[in-house]
Amino acid sequence: MQPSHPADNQAVKSSPEALQEKEDWKPDPNSPLPLHMQITSYFSARISSGAWPPGMRLAPQRELCRRLGVNRSTLATALGTLASQGLIEGRRGGGTRVAAADGSSSASWNDYLEEGTHYPNLPAVQAINRLEYEPGLIRLGTGEPAPELLPGAAMTRVLAELAARTLPPLSYEEPLGNAQLRTAVSRQLLKYGIQAEPDSILITSGALQGLQLIALGLLPRSSTILLEKPSYLYSIHAFQSAGIRFSGLPMDQGGMMVSRLAAEALRTKAAMLYTIPSFHNPTGLVMSEERRHELTAVSGELGLPILEDGAYQELWLDTPPPKPLKALDREGRVLHLGTLSKAAAPGLRLGWIVGPQPVIRRLADIKMQTDYGASSLSQLAAARWLEGGYHEEHLTLLRGRLRERRALMLQLLDAHFSGLASWSVPAGGFYIWLSLHRPLPLRRLFVAAQQARLLLNTGDLYDRGDSRHLRLSYSFASPEQLFSGLPELAEIIKQLSNDI
């Protein structure tokens, strides 16, 4: 497998969807003003205010019609008026853009946006992030708990306890994060066999910030990271934007195929290995205990550090997974990422990195330069959440409800997808990795599903060359939505299969 070089991703900067903006405004059909005039007036106001700067690319007409709830002729009339007024212009192969004002410089914010060093999200990821907040869509791939699975009542009690016992935390925290929270995290990690003193733990604004800090602070540009293929890491640009290459290793039912590790590490001169050993995102696989020991041994012989993402390790549904790689680490070569986002509170935006003290201090220094610390209030709430036993109580309830949703999704897959795809039963986490019997153009499938009010996470987000996988999540869509959405998805796949 060839590693992906950051330069290979430069094309994403000029993606037609890179500058699309989420718009909640819609013309009022009950207004005496015709729809096309309402659209013209609104677009003109956005342009004249500078909210839509010269060079900004408008969404394609089909997408604008969908967002605005109008037909093509109404939109065309509005755009024609704006073009006659010199406010927008069409460019061959470049769509429709906001025109520069007479006499103004040809430079625009668009030029700056395309020169930034951090890559934008993949167009499909941008679309998913935008559409997730659109009412009426059934989110079949969302990787977070549904609002009704989050512990709102218990967190309210935690906040009430804090309000009764202490003054609001209004000051900055120390560089490593709140000492009380780090102590609570240390005790929580011990339950999984990880021995980490509070001064070996850095509190981050979510696990994603941990990845960004490591990419910026520990790895030289043009170095290579080894990782599973497919992997969540392919769907974000934290490492590619820092000039890091990827080299993917295949997986089997036991997880990453460690037998391929040594040769690939030597070939690429890899600087680090990234893995999600427990309830892997997106496949849901669990690295076997034997494979974990093998990985620890081989990486030790190579002197290869490991970045272990433990975001899902608490979310076992049948039996607990084997001990984390960090629990097997006796040489300080494993960095371990954890978070409260997947199980308890995505909105707190809290995670942590566990590692050797010099590494943690280096990352803490970068974090201080970045945001001067995570929210003090969130950290204090999280500390009380862990100390008060709320977390374990919530995990017991959450596992039960996820088991019910997993069973329902498996039942619906058996009923509607038996002739279309295959899948394995996940032992935990959120995901079923659906493997289609026939390859399909996944971008066309994404659009067709969206038109049917279904939102998908397709396999090409996690492996650019994939044409036959979907990441289905049983953690977010309601049972009623699964009952209606999965049969509809099966029909779309059948229709698309017949058309190609």
Side-chain angles (χ1 to χ4, degrees):
M1 295 186 181
Q2 294 299 315
S4 173
H5 190 279
D8 298 335
N9 293 296
Q10 289 288 357
V12 79
K13 291 205 171 194
S14 58
S15 159
E17 296 182 75
L19 298 178
Q20 288 182 8
E21 176 182 320
K22 182 182 184 295
E23 286 296 335
D24 296 324
W25 178 86
K26 285 182 172 61
D28 181 3
N30 298 317
S31 170
L33 194 66
L35 296 178
H36 70 88
M37 294 182 67
Q38 293 183 55
I39 295 171
T40 300
S41 176
Y42 179 77
F43 279 32
S44 176
R46 299 295 278 170
I47 293 169
S48 62
S49 71
W52 293 358
M56 175 183 151
R57 185 179 304 157
L58 301 185
Q61 289 192 22
R62 178 179 297 178
E63 174 67 9
L64 284 174
C65 287
R66 185 190 66 79
R67 293 187 199 173
L68 297 172
V70 298
N71 59 40
R72 199 70 169 266
S73 63
T74 297
L75 179 66
T77 301
L79 295 181
T81 301
L82 292 164
S84 68
Q85 295 173 351
L87 296 176
I88 62 173
E89 59 185 2
R91 299 184 184 179
R92 183 181 299 275
T96 302
R97 297 175 183 261
V98 176
D102 291 342
S104 67
S105 169
S106 59
S108 72
W109 280 115
N110 188 46
D111 300 321
Y112 290 89
L113 295 174
E114 294 189 356
E115 290 301 320
T117 58
H118 198 290
Y119 299 145
N121 270 323
L122 297 170
V125 175
Q126 291 188 45
I128 290 170
N129 289 341
R130 182 180 69 247
L131 292 167
E132 281 187 331
Y133 297 94
E134 187 169 301
L137 278 176
I138 297 177
R139 295 160 59 174
L140 293 177
T142 296
E144 64 182 84
E148 63 269 21
L149 298 184
L150 295 175
M155 191 60 71
T156 298
R157 293 198 300 272
V158 165
L159 295 174
E161 291 175 13
L162 291 178
R165 293 171 50 185
T166 184
L167 294 173
L170 302 180
S171 301
Y172 294 121
E173 296 288 349
E174 59 184 285
L176 294 183
N178 179 274
Q180 183 180 348
L181 175 56
R182 287 186 287 114
T183 299
V185 170
S186 174
R187 291 170 180 160
Q188 186 71 15
L189 291 169
L190 198 57
K191 299 175 183 178
Y192 299 94
I194 298 175
Q195 297 186 13
E197 295 300 316
D199 57 2
S200 294
I201 299 170
L202 170 64
I203 303 301
T204 60
S205 299
L208 179 57
Q209 188 187 47
L211 295 173
Q212 294 167 332
L213 294 175
I214 290 166
L216 292 172
L218 300 183
L219 299 170
R221 294 188 69 85
S222 300
S223 59
T224 297
I225 280 187
L226 304 181
L227 71 168
E228 292 108 344
K229 195 171 186 178
S231 175
Y232 158 75
L233 211 57
Y234 282 100
S235 70
I236 61 173
H237 286 142
F239 284 89
Q240 297 99 317
S241 296
I244 311 300
R245 298 181 173 98
F246 286 168
S247 183
L249 294 169
M251 305 176 71
D252 60 17
Q253 289 302 308
M256 177 185 288
M257 296 177 66
V258 179
S259 59
R260 307 279 287 272
L261 174 58
E264 191 66 8
L266 293 172
R267 186 185 73 80
T268 62
K269 299 180 181 178
M272 185 176 284
L273 180 144
Y274 170 85
T275 181
I276 312 173
S278 295
F279 316 120
H280 176 263
N281 181 7
T283 66
L285 291 170
V286 177
M287 185 182 292
S288 67
E289 183 174 6
E290 178 183 3
R291 191 74 57 87
R292 295 179 192 227
H293 284 282
E294 183 184 0
L295 175 58
T296 301
V298 173
S299 63
E301 293 169 0
L302 295 169
L304 183 67
I306 297 174
L307 174 54
E308 176 184 34
D309 192 334
Y312 298 91
Q313 69 185 19
E314 299 178 310
L315 297 174
W316 55 268
L317 302 183
D318 299 324
T319 58
K323 287 184 178 181
L325 297 172
K326 185 61 181 173
L328 308 178
D329 181 25
R330 298 294 177 265
E331 301 173 4
R333 286 185 297 100
V334 178
L335 299 179
H336 180 86
L337 292 178
T339 181
L340 285 178
S341 295
K342 296 304 179 183
L348 287 182
R349 302 308 307 135
L350 287 180
W352 48 84
I353 309 173
V354 182
Q357 290 181 19
V359 175
I360 294 302
R361 286 197 295 269
R362 163 67 171 151
L363 298 177
D365 176 62
I366 299 174
K367 178 170 171 56
M368 291 297 285
Q369 297 178 55
T370 303
D371 65 5
Y372 225 74
S375 162
S376 299
L377 179 58
S378 291
Q379 291 186 68
L380 200 59
R384 180 60 191 150
W385 174 259
L386 293 174
E387 293 171 344
Y390 291 100
H391 192 59
E392 294 303 323
E393 180 180 346
H394 169 65
L395 282 174
T396 299
L397 296 173
L398 179 62
R399 290 181 186 123
R401 300 187 71 180
L402 287 176
R403 289 187 195 103
E404 294 172 357
R405 289 175 178 238
R406 179 186 63 173
L408 175 58
M409 178 169 278
L410 291 170
Q411 173 189 333
L412 292 169
L413 290 177
D414 284 334
H416 300 282
F417 286 80
S418 293
L420 298 174
S422 59
W423 57 90
S424 299
V425 178
F430 295 158
Y431 310 120
I432 291 177
W433 189 233
L434 195 73
S435 180
L436 302 173
H437 291 334
R438 291 183 58 188
L440 290 176
L442 294 182
R443 289 301 90 206
R444 285 180 58 187
L445 176 58
F446 178 87
V447 171
Q450 181 190 337
Q451 292 171 347
R453 311 303 291 163
L454 306 176
L455 188 57
L456 302 179
N457 283 54
T458 51
D460 52 346
L461 300 181
Y462 313 103
D463 176 355
R464 299 290 187 271
D466 193 353
S467 61
R468 58 194 315 157
H469 289 94
L470 299 176
R471 189 188 83 175
L472 297 180
S473 169
Y474 45 82
S475 69
F476 194 86
S478 68
E480 294 76 18
Q481 289 176 326
L482 294 178
F483 266 117
S484 62
L486 287 174
E488 179 73 14
L489 176 60
E491 291 303 314
I492 294 171
I493 291 172
K494 289 176 186 176
Q495 182 63 51
L496 191 55
S497 297
N498 292 333
D499 290 345
I500 61 175

